[in-house]
Amino acid sequence: MHHLHDFVMGIGGESGEGIMLAGDILCLAAARSNIHVSSVRVFPAEIRGGPSLHRTRYGVDHVFNQGDRYDIFVAFSNQHYERHRADIAPDATVLMDGDPATFHPAELYPELKDRTVYVIPMDQIARQKVGDPRTKNMVGVGACSALFNFNREKIEQNLVERYKRKDERIYLNNHAGFVAGFEFATASLEKKDPYRLKPADGEGFLVLSGNEAIGLGALCAGCRFYGGYPITPASEVMEFMAAELPKVGGVMLQAEDEIASIGMVLGASFAGFRSMTATSGPGLSLMAELLGLSSMAEIPCVVVDVQRGGPSTGLPTKTEQADLNLALALSHGDAPKVVLAPISIQDCFDAMFRAFDIAEHYQVPVIVLTEQALGHRRTDLSKRILREMPQIEVKRVPRSFDPQSFLRYQINESGLSERSVPGDPGGAHVVTGLEHGENAAPRHDPENRKLMMEKRQRKMRDIEERFGGVWQFGSEKAEIGVIGWGATAGVVREAVQKANAEGIPVAAIYPKMIYPNSDKAIRAFIKSHRVHVVLEENISGQYANLLESIYGAELGFKPERLNRYDGLPFLPSEVLETIRRIADQHGVKRAGNRAGAAVGTQEVQK
Amino acid sequence: MIEVTGRFYRAAETGGGSPGITASDAPKAADYKSARKPIWCPGCGDYGVLNSVFGSLAGRRIDPDRLVVVSGIGCSSRMPGFIKAYGFHSAHGRAVPVGIGVKVARPELDVLIVGGDGDGFSIGGGHLPHAARRNIDVTYVVMDNEIYGLTKGQVSPTSQPGSKAKSAPYGTVETPINMVLQMLAYGATYVGRAVASNPKQLGELIQGGMEHKGFSFVQVLSPCVTFNKTIGYEYFKEHTAPLPADHRSDDLVNAMKLATEEQMYLGLFYKGERLEYTEGLRLHGRTSLDSRINIEPLIRQYS
C-alpha cells in the first residue's frame, strides 16, 4: 500500500470525555518520534459542557499551519461526526464509536460509502473490558496508535510520566484502556487507509504553544518582572511566568486590573528590571495611558497583545488581527513606540529577545502583536533553540555613568540618553509624564518642547535601521506580491509554495517589525511586483490602509485585499484559491509545466 | 549630587540603624532637599507635609540613592520633584501600582508614595484594597484637601456633604469617603491621621510608617487655601482631637469605631503584624536574581 505521512487528524467529542488529553498524547508521541506537528484545541465557549475538538497536523516536513480539511476524523459519538462532517476531506478516514456488529455508519451518512470507516466500540471496551468508562479516550488513543503508527512505547512512557506517581489506579486504568484499544485495532480492524506516520531520527522535539513560546522567550531574554491580569486568550503567558520567574529571582504579580499591571511593569522597569505584561485587546485598551507615560518618560516595557475578536468583549476565544490601529496609536499624543508581529511560534520565542533589546536600549514601549490562533496553537520546535540561545546577562546595579555630568534626558544626535536606576549613587532623578528638560524637571516652554519631541522621535530612525527587515517566501521575479503580517505567514507560506508549484509566479513578504515601518525592504518589494495583495484578519484592512497611506500616492500602490473576520484563521486552500483568481484577473502568465522548478520557494531575511 | 558616606541606614545590610554614627554625622532635612522650589500656593498645607517628610527621612536615616518617591497627578503629586532622591511622577491615580512595581522588583529600596485625595481615592481608589491586602512594604501619604486644586476647584471624593465647588454649584449630594475607616477595612497594617500644621506628629507618623514592615497609610489633613477656603487650618483645629489615650493601636475594632465618630481623631489608629508581600514571595520560593535559566527541566516539561 502507498503510505501518506502527512495528514490532519481531528478528534471530536463532548467536553469531559478527555478529547484534549487524547489529542495531546498522540501529538507528543509524534513529536518524540521527530515528526512535525501543529496542533489546536478548540474548547467550547461555555465553561462546562458542549463540544471539544482537538486538531493536529502531522508531517515529515515542517508544518507551518493547521492545514485544511481533516484526513482522519475520530468521532466520539455521531453528533460530533455531524458537527464536523463538512470539514472532512472526500478521501478521509473516519473512526466512529459503536458496536461493529450493529452500527453501519454509511447507512446513516451516505457520504461515508466512499470513505474508509472504522467502527470501534470505544465506550463498550472502556466499560466492559477496562471497567472504567472514563478510559474511552485511551481506547481511542490505542486504536489510533495501532492504525496510524503512533509509537506504542512512547505513549506508554507518557502515561507513566503523567499518572504513575500521582495515582497508581488511574495509571493502571488508562494503560489498560490504551492496550485494549490497541489490541482491538490490531486484531479486529483491517487497515484500509493510506495514513501512516513516519518516524525520523533525532532527539525529539519540544512542543510549545505560541503563548508558552512568548513566556519562554521572555524568560530567556532576561525578563524578571511580569505584571499580569487574566484574560483570554493570553493568560497562559502569565501562568508560565508565575511558575518560572521565582526560580530566577523574578516575580509574577497578578494585579487587580490591567492598568495596575502596566503600572507595576513601569515601576519595576524604572527599578532596573526587564519587565513585561501580556494581555488581549480589552487590556491593551486599558493600558493606553500608561503606555504613553512609558514613551514620554522613556521607561522601557514590553507588552504582548494576543489579539482576539473585538471590539468590546467581542470573540474572546477566536482570532483576529484588528488591534494594529490601537497598537500604532498606543496612547494620546505622538508617542514613539515599536510594534512587532511574530510570524510563527518559533518567532514568538525569538521576537521576545528583540522586544527586550529594543525596549531597554531605546527606552521605549514595545508592543508584540500575536493572536489567539498563534497563542493557542502548538507546534514542534527544536531543542536547540534553548541549548543554543543567546545568553542574556541580567544586569545589576550600579551601572556606569558619570554622576558629575549625568542628565537623564540629555539631548544628543541619537536621541538616546543615559539612564540610572535606584541604588546608583549620584544618579537620582525624578521621571515624569510631563514634558521635561534634560534634567527631568518639568518644562513647558516651546523651545524645549520642540527639542524633546524631536529627541524621542529620533530614536525611531535607528530602530528602523537596526531592527527593520522582512521575511520573504516565493520566487524572486514573481509578478504577484502578497503582503501580510503576523501569524498568517504560516498559511501564506504554504499557499505560495503550492502556487509556485502550479507555475504561478507569486511571492510573499512579512515585516519583522511593523512600526517603525521596514521601509527599504517593503518599498523594494512593492516596486518589484506588478500585482499586490494585502492579506489580514480584519474587516477594514488596517495594515493595507497603513501601507497605502505610505506608498499609495508615491508608488501608485493600490493592492487587492483579502480579509477574513469571522474569528477563524485563513486556510491554505482559501489563500491558494485567491492567488489563482488574482493571477487570472490580472493576466499573470503561468510558468508552464516546469512547475516549481522555474519559480523556486525560498525564505529570505532582509 | 549626594555622596554616600555611610551615614545612611541600609535596610538590607544592617537590619537596623547604622552603628557608630555620631549625632553630628546624622542626616539632616537639608540632605533631602532638591534644588527645585515647590510650585504650591503660599500657605498650602503641602509645604508642611514636605518638611515632615524631610524630617522623617532624616530621622529614619534613609539613603537618598536608595529611596524612590512615587506619585500620581495633582498638586501634592508634584512632591517627588522637591525631594533629592529617585522619583517617579507617574499618571493620575496610578502611583500605588507603580510604587508596588518598584518595591516588588527591588525589596531593598525604600518606597514612599505620595498624592492627593482625588488621585488616591477617586481615580486610583481601585488599587487601594489590593495594595492593603497584599501588605506590601510601602508608605502611602495622602494629602487630603477635600478639593481638586490643580484643576482649580472641583469637588473631590472627600468633600463635605453640601459643599459647593465649581463642579457642584448647588452643593454636592455625595457622601465623602472616610479614608481611615476604608483603609482599616481594606486590611492596611498601619493607619494614621495627622494635620499638616502639626509637623511633629506628622513626621512621627510617616517615620513610623517607613519603619513598619507592611503597607502603611497616613492621611494628612492638608488645607487648600486657594480653592477650599472653608476647610482651612481653623476648621481642622476645631474638628480634630487626639486619639483617646486608652486606645491601643493593635485594637482594630476600636480603631474602626473611633474612625466612624464625628470628631476627627489624630494619631496612630492601627498598627498590626501580618506577613509582608515581598517576604511572602521569598518564603514561597523566590530565589535571588539570576541570569542563568536551568533549561533541562524546561526541555523535559515541554517534550
Side-chain angles (χ1 to χ4, degrees):
Chain A
M1 184 191 286
H2 174 67
H3 284 124
L4 295 173
H5 308 302
D6 299 62
F7 54 82
V8 179
M9 179 170 178
I11 308 175
E14 204 60 21
S15 76
E17 284 190 299
I19 300 300
M20 303 310 179
L21 183 62
D24 284 353
I25 287 175
L26 292 172
C27 181
L28 190 59
R32 286 179 174 184
S33 308
N34 299 288
I35 291 159
H36 297 278
V37 296
S38 175
S39 181
V40 289
R41 306 163 175 175
V42 184
F43 290 95
E46 294 78 20
I47 293 164
R48 277 188 74 99
S52 286
L53 175 71
H54 194 287
R55 171 194 180 109
T56 305
R57 183 176 187 182
Y58 299 94
V60 179
D61 297 321
H62 279 284
V63 287
F64 295 111
N65 58 64
Q66 74 287 353
D68 278 300
R69 287 183 289 184
Y70 298 107
D71 300 304
I72 300 171
F73 195 84
V74 185
F76 271 45
S77 70
N78 290 3
Q79 72 173 95
H80 295 287
Y81 172 74
E82 287 165 22
R83 178 176 289 275
H84 300 288
R85 66 203 284 199
D87 299 324
I88 296 172
D91 53 355
T93 296
V94 178
L95 280 68
M96 301 193 79
D97 181 41
D99 184 346
T102 56
F103 178 43
H104 305 291
E107 290 171 8
L108 219 51
Y109 311 110
E111 74 274 13
L112 289 179
K113 280 198 187 84
D114 311 322
R115 292 171 173 160
T116 304
V117 180
Y118 301 112
V119 176
I120 303 165
M122 293 190 270
D123 190 56
Q124 197 185 330
I125 292 175
R127 281 175 197 282
Q128 293 172 7
K129 214 160 173 197
V130 185
D132 183 349
R134 288 171 303 176
T135 62
K136 177 178 175 183
N137 60 342
M138 288 302 139
V139 178
V141 168
C144 289
S145 170
L147 282 168
F148 309 116
N149 197 32
F150 288 90
N151 186 286
R152 177 174 178 160
E153 286 72 37
K154 289 195 160 69
I155 292 174
E156 290 185 300
Q157 175 59 30
N158 192 217
L159 291 177
V160 170
E161 293 160 17
R162 278 177 196 271
Y163 297 118
K164 196 152 168 67
R165 248 186 298 167
K166 267 195 226 152
D167 189 325
E168 180 77 16
R169 202 181 57 83
I170 292 180
Y171 164 71
L172 288 173
N173 283 1
N174 276 298
H175 185 255
F178 170 75
V179 172
F182 191 96
E183 284 173 355
F184 174 86
T186 312
S188 313
L189 299 177
E190 186 198 341
K191 173 90 174 167
K192 288 179 287 188
D193 68 88
Y195 302 108
R196 189 174 166 80
L197 290 180
K198 189 178 177 188
D201 293 333
E203 57 170 352
F205 299 131
L206 299 171
V207 179
L208 283 173
S209 72
N211 282 347
E212 288 162 347
I214 289 280
L216 193 58
L219 183 74
C220 296
C223 176
R224 291 296 179 270
F225 180 81
Y226 184 103
Y229 189 75
I231 187 166
T232 305
S235 300
E236 294 82 9
V237 183
M238 176 170 80
E239 291 159 8
F240 178 92
M241 296 306 251
E244 297 305 325
L245 277 177
K247 298 177 191 169
V248 287
V251 175
M252 195 298 287
L253 201 166
Q254 182 176 329
E256 56 272 23
D257 55 46
E258 285 95 342
I259 299 175
S261 67
I262 185 67
M264 291 171 187
V265 165
L266 295 188
S269 178
F270 176 72
F273 274 37
R274 286 191 165 197
S275 305
M276 74 170 289
T277 182
T279 185
S280 190
L284 190 63
S285 297
L286 284 174
M287 291 177 191
E289 187 194 7
L290 283 172
L291 287 169
L293 173 62
S294 160
S295 188
M296 183 59 144
E298 304 192 54
I299 298 165
C301 71
V302 174
V303 177
V304 176
D305 174 6
V306 187
Q307 298 166 94
R308 68 192 214 186
S312 188
T313 311
L315 288 174
T317 59
K318 303 278 180 164
T319 210
E320 202 164 81
Q321 294 182 310
D323 294 351
L324 179 59
N325 285 347
L326 177 63
L328 289 171
L330 196 70
S331 97
H332 58 279
D334 269 326
K337 88 288 295 185
V338 173
V339 181
L340 306 179
I343 60 162
S344 64
I345 292 173
Q346 168 79 59
D347 196 28
C348 284
F349 179 80
D350 296 339
M352 294 312 284
F353 286 82
R354 294 204 297 284
F356 278 102
D357 285 349
I358 295 171
E360 182 167 291
H361 188 72
Y362 295 93
Q363 304 170 22
V364 287
V366 176
I367 311 298
V368 181
L369 292 175
T370 73
E371 60 179 285
Q372 184 274 338
L374 185 61
H376 283 172
R377 190 159 66 82
R378 273 157 213 280
T379 196
D380 60 279
L381 295 175
S382 166
K383 290 176 183 172
R384 286 199 314 273
I385 68 161
L386 285 176
R387 298 212 170 105
E388 293 168 14
M389 70 184 175
Q391 291 299 309
I392 302 294
E393 189 201 347
V394 177
K395 291 190 197 99
R396 301 201 59 155
V397 288
R399 303 179 180 208
S400 59
F401 60 90
D402 182 2
Q404 298 311 314
S405 61
F406 176 60
L407 285 170
R408 174 64 185 88
Y409 298 111
Q410 191 166 47
I411 293 172
N412 53 34
E413 178 49 31
S414 66
L416 288 175
S417 325
E418 280 185 329
R419 186 174 157 234
S420 66
V421 301
D424 291 351
H429 63 277
V430 180
V431 294
T432 175
L434 282 169
E435 188 55 275
H436 41 266
E438 290 185 295
N439 66 353
R443 274 182 73 170
H444 307 283
D445 55 294
E447 294 77 19
N448 175 74
R449 165 67 170 177
K450 190 163 175 290
L451 290 174
M452 278 296 170
M453 288 297 280
E454 289 163 359
K455 166 207 188 300
R456 290 187 292 267
Q457 197 63 37
R458 266 204 300 281
K459 298 188 287 188
M460 295 295 104
R461 218 176 38 198
D462 199 33
I463 295 174
E464 183 187 331
E465 198 74 19
R466 271 184 64 192
F467 291 90
V470 294
W471 285 275
Q472 205 165 311
F473 322 120
S475 61
E476 286 239 304
K477 289 178 185 155
E479 278 185 85
I480 305 172
V482 178
I483 306 176
W485 62 280
T488 59
V491 167
V492 166
R493 186 175 179 152
E494 180 172 334
V496 164
Q497 228 164 39
K498 286 180 171 161
N500 285 173
E502 289 176 13
I504 304 175
V506 56
I509 193 173
Y510 276 73
K512 291 181 83 168
M513 186 167 67
I514 295 188
Y515 186 87
N517 177 37
S518 306
D519 177 66
K520 223 164 77 188
I522 291 185
R523 180 180 295 271
F525 186 83
I526 289 174
K527 279 183 172 172
S528 64
H529 296 80
R530 181 168 69 85
V531 181
H532 306 104
V533 189
V534 177
L535 168 152
E536 53 193 318
E537 292 158 357
N538 57 51
I539 195 167
S540 64
Q542 298 184 5
Y543 191 48
N545 292 342
L546 174 71
L547 293 177
E548 274 190 29
S549 76
I550 301 170
Y551 303 110
E554 191 195 335
L555 302 179
F557 180 65
K558 192 92 182 87
E560 300 271 355
R561 294 170 176 223
L562 178 58
N563 300 77
R564 182 162 186 167
Y565 38 85
D566 60 355
L568 298 173
F570 283 108
L571 295 174
S573 57
E574 141 185 48
V575 177
L576 178 60
E577 199 45 56
T578 302
I579 292 171
R580 285 182 189 138
R581 179 173 55 77
I582 285 170
D584 292 342
Q585 271 172 9
H586 291 267
V588 174
K589 274 207 198 108
R590 306 202 181 199
N593 290 333
R594 297 188 304 123
V599 280
T601 295
Q602 59 201 306
E603 178 183 346
V604 186
Q605 278 200 27
K606 283 186 179 166
Chain B
M1 292 287 161
I2 288 286
E3 275 180 31
V4 179
T5 61
R7 296 156 65 210
F8 300 111
Y9 166 82
R10 285 287 175 92
E13 290 158 24
T14 61
S18 306
I21 295 176
T22 63
S24 61
D25 270 349
K28 296 176 181 59
D31 285 323
Y32 302 95
K33 208 169 192 164
S34 85
R36 277 153 68 182
K37 294 280 164 287
I39 42 84
W40 299 315
C41 305
C44 176
D46 295 351
Y47 284 102
V49 183
L50 179 60
N51 279 328
S52 298
V53 166
F54 287 148
S56 41
L57 294 174
R60 175 84 177 130
R61 296 174 189 245
I62 299 281
D63 179 350
D65 281 328
R66 291 158 72 107
L67 169 67
V68 182
V69 186
V70 184
S71 69
I73 298 297
C75 293
S76 54
S77 284
R78 295 294 287 270
M79 187 178 280
F82 315 131
I83 301 172
K84 196 153 64 178
Y86 282 87
F88 196 142
H89 178 224
S90 74
H92 197 27
R94 311 308 164 202
V96 168
V98 169
I100 288 177
V102 173
K103 185 70 184 181
V104 164
R106 305 264 310 276
E108 75 275 17
L109 299 173
D110 285 292
V111 177
L112 175 67
I113 306 173
V114 296
D117 43 308
D119 186 67
F121 282 78
S122 187
I123 187 169
H127 302 304
L128 301 182
H130 306 283
R133 74 187 174 85
R134 287 181 190 119
N135 196 34
I136 187 156
D137 186 18
V138 297
T139 300
Y140 183 30
V141 177
V142 172
M143 286 154 264
D144 182 6
N145 57 13
E146 305 186 13
I147 198 85
Y148 280 83
L150 192 63
T151 49
K152 304 195 193 306
Q154 298 82 16
V155 283
S156 96
T158 52
S159 296
Q160 313 270 326
S163 58
K164 291 183 180 173
K166 285 179 185 165
S167 60
Y170 311 111
T172 178
V173 295
E174 295 177 8
T175 302
I177 282 173
N178 182 332
M179 288 188 188
V180 166
L181 182 63
Q182 204 170 69
M183 294 313 295
L184 288 169
Y186 285 165
T189 50
Y190 182 101
V191 179
R193 183 195 280 142
V195 282
S197 52
N198 185 349
K200 185 170 178 296
Q201 184 183 41
L202 177 56
E204 282 167 8
L205 274 179
I206 296 173
Q207 189 174 333
M210 297 203 74
E211 275 160 18
H212 174 69
K213 191 97 177 130
F215 185 79
S216 306
F217 174 77
V218 179
Q219 176 188 16
V220 191
L221 308 173
S222 180
C224 174
V225 294
T226 306
F227 296 105
N228 201 8
K229 293 193 166 74
T230 53
I231 313 292
Y233 296 101
E234 281 306 310
Y235 175 90
F236 287 133
K237 206 174 267 177
E238 284 163 28
H239 290 81
T240 59
L243 278 166
D246 62 350
H247 172 59
R248 287 178 34 180
S249 62
D250 62 349
D251 187 342
L252 178 61
V253 173
N254 196 51
M256 293 176 94
K257 185 171 161 291
L258 292 169
T260 58
E261 286 181 16
E262 188 66 30
Q263 184 77 267
M264 282 204 284
Y265 289 116
L266 305 176
L268 180 61
F269 279 75
Y270 179 68
K271 184 173 191 277
E273 297 297 323
R274 208 170 72 232
L275 180 63
E276 193 272 331
Y277 189 83
T278 59
E279 179 63 12
L281 291 179
R282 203 179 58 76
L283 293 175
H284 284 82
R286 181 186 183 185
T287 59
S288 54
L289 200 61
D290 201 339
S291 291
R292 292 155 304 158
I293 310 290
N294 194 0
I295 57 163
E296 289 307 323
L298 284 165
I299 288 175
R300 277 198 297 279
Q301 190 179 341
Y302 292 101
S303 66

